[in-house]
Amino acid sequence: MFLPEKIKSLIVDEKLETDTVGMSEASVLVGENKVLKVQDYTEEAENEYRMLRFLQGKLPVPLPYAHEVADGKSYLLMSKCMGQMACSRAYMENPAVLCRLLADGLKKLWRVDIADCPSDQSLFRKLDMAEYNIVNGLVDLDNVEPDTFGENGFQNPAELLQWLRENKPDEELVLSHGDYCLPNIFGVCEEVSGFIDLGKTGIADKWCDIAICYRSLSHNYSGRYQKNITATGFDETKFFQELGIEPNWEKIRYYILLDELF
């Protein structure tokens, strides 16, 4: 793999191995102390580097050592998070602890002052981004919920986008991770020790992260990603109890549908 000279000089003593967890299209190489993320250079890749710098001292996020762009590729070298992924067996087999961990992470995000946040991920912008994805054929129809399109769903992504525009909910703006699924959250016991994959992070409705997290929990406990993990002992109400809020199912459905276009 081609690597910019600055990146190579910073990983000369690192033995990097490919990480295969999660659904990112990026190549992620993990060493003992550092992580190298290589992906197409996009606004999302640039936003990840921007938010890593913004969140230093505010949240447990990786420290960016270097960010280089060459031949249309983004090379982001950063520190490695402590702890285990939220989708690790240790957490999955202890759903009560997992729910406390995920609630802790959301509350950490919501406490960050967004007054000078450099990334706007609110609905006005997200819906325009969704339209761009549709026009440019970037919607992955092979990785959507089974009832989103078809006989009992929307005819196509354009019809879904029209519905999303016509049914925009009021937003409760906070700092949103943007892809708050289990592989992107690291923990030590019941406390979040790291947030990764911050390309979609910015100012957005708090229910965006709640919806994506709920979907991730459901998928992981259904066996969609981990065939040897069952739903034994998992109670979805525990997640909302830990957050101290009642589930808003309309908003949860809305943001899951919105995410189908990304």
Side-chain angles (χ1 to χ4, degrees), residues 13 35 58 123 134 148 185 212 214 222 226 253:
D13 294 325
V35 174
K58 299 180 177 73
L123 269 178
I134 292 171
T148 297
I185 312 302
I212 299 305
Y214 171 79
S222 72
Q226 303 189 57
R253 177 174 182 263

Side-chain angles (χ1 to χ4, degrees), residues 86-117:
C87 57
S88 69
R89 177 174 290 275
Y91 281 121
M92 292 295 295
E93 293 183 347
N94 291 277
V97 174
L98 175 58
C99 287
R100 283 194 287 273
L101 173 80
L102 295 170
D104 172 70
L106 288 171
K107 291 173 184 177
K108 278 182 165 63
L109 287 161
W110 299 344
R111 286 195 292 266
V112 174
D113 185 357
I114 59 174
D116 58 347
C117 178

Side-chain angles (χ1 to χ4, degrees), residues 5 11 24 27 39 41 44 69 72 124 161 174 176 219 233 255:
E5 290 302 320
I11 60 173
S24 172
S27 296
Q39 60 186 322
Y41 180 69
E44 189 170 308
V69 178
F124 179 82
L161 177 61
V174 297
S176 165
H219 284 178
Y255 282 107

Side-chain angles (χ1 to χ4, degrees), residues 32-60:
E32 184 176 352
N33 300 301
K34 297 174 182 175
V35 174
L36 175 61
K37 185 173 184 178
V38 182
Q39 60 186 322
D40 290 339
Y41 180 69
T42 61
E43 167 57 27
E44 189 170 308
E46 181 64 33
N47 189 58
E48 179 164 21
Y49 179 54
R50 182 188 304 126
M51 292 306 296
L52 282 174
R53 289 180 296 167
F54 172 71
L55 291 173
Q56 293 303 308
K58 299 180 177 73
L59 286 176

